[in-house]
């Protein structure tokens, strides 16, 4: 099996050396620098996830990805994740087919229903339509990826009749994934529509997601689809030692979970619960390169995945800390994981 390894960011607002938050604009410029450096460090993929808040000021990640594409030549680039439910599938397709063109065929997209829901009121969508919005729009996006004129009709946007959607893809469809955080119906939907599966694991034992990987493989067979890859996306932070990585990451992890706890039903972490999540059986990849590499290798193998994306960064970390994570991940963690996987 061929394994690939990526880095994902939500454009987490960074702090300066004085501890004060940087401007949104400077954070976005720093994300571009981190993406360019990721290629130099040997990372296979760099993804930017869509968010619309003061702590995650990244509503147009495709624009930042295009800036990275202009300064790189090999690294694959994509969303991690695009909230398709509150967007237009045709416009999402056009933005990423444009990115595919300017990058020379390096674009990817991960589509999600929206575990963070700030985009729904922002763009005038009703959460009561949460499931229908995503199902219809994902179905349309699957048709768009096939190329050629598209005919489609649904309730959530205007119908298309033999519509030519440009720009045309130069070398066939780009990789497209559906992000799943624990909903079996989303796994089955991904298989039915012919998407790959991205498992977003942010809490608890990753091993519990092995059932979703197996469900995905069985569903692909049932729908007559060819085998498709499984991706694991989880948060983490890499530093010279385990102690340093935890000391840098923990206070910001506590703050960001507290920030979204009410909206998303999370329990605010304690230092003890954080230590469990950062341990061998938890969902956080926080530590020295050897610690993180062993955990990635174990879970990639257990989940039958062929790709792992480390969601790096948190609001309040500095650009220097994030550049260190990028460097250690690319130059030490990834080679060591490849060794461990044989």
């Amino acid at each position: 099996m061929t394994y690939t390894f990526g880095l994902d960011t939500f454009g987490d607002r960074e702090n300066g050396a004085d501890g004060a938050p940087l401007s949104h604009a400077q954070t976005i410029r720093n994300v571009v620098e981190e993406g360019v450096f990721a290629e130099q460090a040997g990372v296979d993929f760099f993804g930017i996830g869509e968010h619309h808040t003061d702590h995650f000021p990244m509503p147009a990640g495709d624009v930042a990805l295009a800036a990275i594409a202009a300064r790189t030549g090999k690294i694959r680039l994509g969303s991690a994740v695009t909230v398709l439910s509150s967007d237009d599938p045709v416009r999402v397709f056009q933005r990423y087919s444009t990115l595919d063109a300017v990058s020379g065929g390096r674009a990817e997209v991960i589509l999600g229903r929206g575990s963070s829901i700030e985009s729904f009121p922002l763009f005038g969508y009703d959460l009561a339509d949460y499931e229908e919005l995503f199902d219809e729009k994902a179905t349309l996006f699957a048709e768009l990826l096939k190329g050629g004129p598209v005919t489609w009709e649904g309730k959530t946007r205007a119908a298309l009749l033999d519509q030519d959607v440009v720009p045309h893809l130069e070398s066939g469809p780009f990789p497209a994934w559906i992000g799943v955080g624990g909903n079996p119906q989303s796994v089955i939907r991904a298989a039915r529509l012919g998407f790959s599966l991205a498992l977003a694991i942010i809490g608890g034992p990753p091993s519990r997601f092995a059932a979703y990987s197996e469900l995905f493989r069985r569903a692909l067979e049932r729908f007559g689809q060819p085998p498709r890859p499984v991706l694991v996306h989880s948060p983490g932070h890499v530093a010279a030692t385990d102690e340093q990585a935890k000391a840098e990451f923990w206070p910001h992890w506590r703050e960001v979970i507290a920030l979204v706890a009410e909206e998303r039903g999370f329990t605010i972490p304690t230092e003890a619960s954080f230590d469990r999540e950062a341990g061998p059986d938890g969902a956080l990849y926080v530590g020295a390169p050897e610690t993180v590499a062993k955990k990635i290798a174990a879970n990639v193998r257990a989940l039958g995945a062929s790709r792992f994306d480390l969601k790096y960064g948190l609001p309040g970390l500095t650009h220097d800390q994030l550049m260190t994570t990028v460097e250690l991940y690319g130059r030490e963690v990834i080679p060591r994981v490849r060794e461990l996987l044989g």
Side-chain angles (χ1 to χ4, degrees):
M1 182 182 290
T2 299
Y3 297 97
T4 56
F5 301 93
L7 283 168
D8 295 338
T9 175
F10 296 159
D12 312 56
R13 191 173 182 182
E14 298 172 10
N15 278 9
D18 60 357
L22 300 178
S23 68
H24 293 171
Q26 186 59 55
T27 292
I28 292 169
R29 288 191 290 269
N30 286 352
V31 167
V32 172
E33 293 300 324
E34 290 152 17
V36 172
F37 184 57
E39 177 175 274
Q40 298 167 15
V43 178
D44 300 312
F45 171 84
F46 190 82
I48 299 177
E50 174 191 350
H51 282 275
H52 302 265
T53 68
D54 180 58
H55 290 83
F56 303 100
M58 189 57 76
D62 48 292
V63 178
L65 290 166
I68 296 168
R71 297 171 55 189
T72 56
K74 297 185 299 182
I75 194 168
R76 299 194 63 82
L77 302 164
S79 74
V81 61
T82 294
V83 184
L84 188 65
S85 305
S86 57
D87 210 328
D88 185 290
V90 173
R91 293 298 287 140
V92 174
F93 173 81
Q94 290 179 319
R95 295 198 301 268
Y96 282 90
S97 58
T98 299
L99 176 66
D100 201 54
V102 300
S103 67
R106 292 184 280 140
E108 301 190 13
V109 63
I110 298 176
L111 307 172
R113 295 184 303 163
S115 59
S116 295
I117 55 174
E118 68 267 6
S119 62
F120 283 76
L122 183 63
F123 298 119
Y125 288 93
D126 191 338
L127 283 170
D129 301 326
Y130 188 81
E131 285 292 340
E132 183 179 45
L133 283 165
F134 188 73
D135 192 65
E136 281 203 357
K137 292 183 177 188
T139 301
L140 174 53
F141 199 89
E143 291 299 312
L144 292 163
L145 283 172
K146 294 175 183 177
V150 175
T151 296
W152 177 91
E153 185 175 359
K155 299 178 182 177
T156 56
R157 61 148 288 139
L160 300 175
L161 178 60
D162 203 28
Q163 179 69 53
D164 182 31
V165 179
V166 298
H168 298 163
L169 293 168
E170 195 169 37
S171 304
F174 48 74
W177 314 68
I178 284 186
V180 175
N183 185 322
Q185 291 306 314
S186 293
V187 175
I188 294 170
R189 180 191 289 118
R192 174 171 56 85
L193 295 177
F195 292 101
S196 300
L197 180 67
L199 296 172
I201 306 175
I202 63 174
S207 58
R208 66 193 172 95
F209 280 78
Y212 294 103
S213 296
E214 181 58 30
L215 174 62
F216 182 60
R217 281 187 281 273
R218 293 200 313 267
L220 286 170
E221 292 176 0
R222 190 176 80 197
F223 291 117
Q225 296 279 2
R228 298 189 185 279
V230 174
L231 175 163
V232 175
H233 156 111
S234 288
H237 183 69
V238 190
T241 67
D242 290 349
E243 294 74 20
Q244 180 183 350
K246 289 180 178 180
E248 291 176 352
F249 193 81
W250 155 242
H252 303 295
W253 177 251
R254 178 184 56 207
E255 289 173 11
V256 77
I257 297 300
L259 188 70
V260 301
E262 183 176 355
E263 174 189 297
R264 301 181 67 178
F266 290 167
T267 299
I268 297 175
T270 63
E271 196 157 2
S273 69
F274 169 72
D275 285 339
R276 286 195 298 273
E277 291 288 3
D281 299 321
L284 299 180
Y285 296 73
V286 179
E290 181 69 11
T291 300
V292 173
K294 286 180 177 178
K295 190 167 180 176
I296 292 173
N299 285 321
V300 163
R301 191 180 289 114
L303 297 174
S306 59
R307 179 162 131 199
F308 179 88
D309 285 0
L310 182 76
K311 192 279 161 187
Y312 78 102
L314 283 174
L317 289 168
T318 69
H319 181 54
D320 286 346
Q321 288 170 331
L322 300 187
M323 291 290 270
T324 296
T325 284
V326 172
E327 180 171 27
L328 292 175
Y329 182 74
R331 293 180 175 165
E332 297 189 31
V333 173
I334 292 175
R336 180 61 175 140
V337 177
R338 294 191 193 282
E339 284 181 8
L340 291 168
L341 293 172

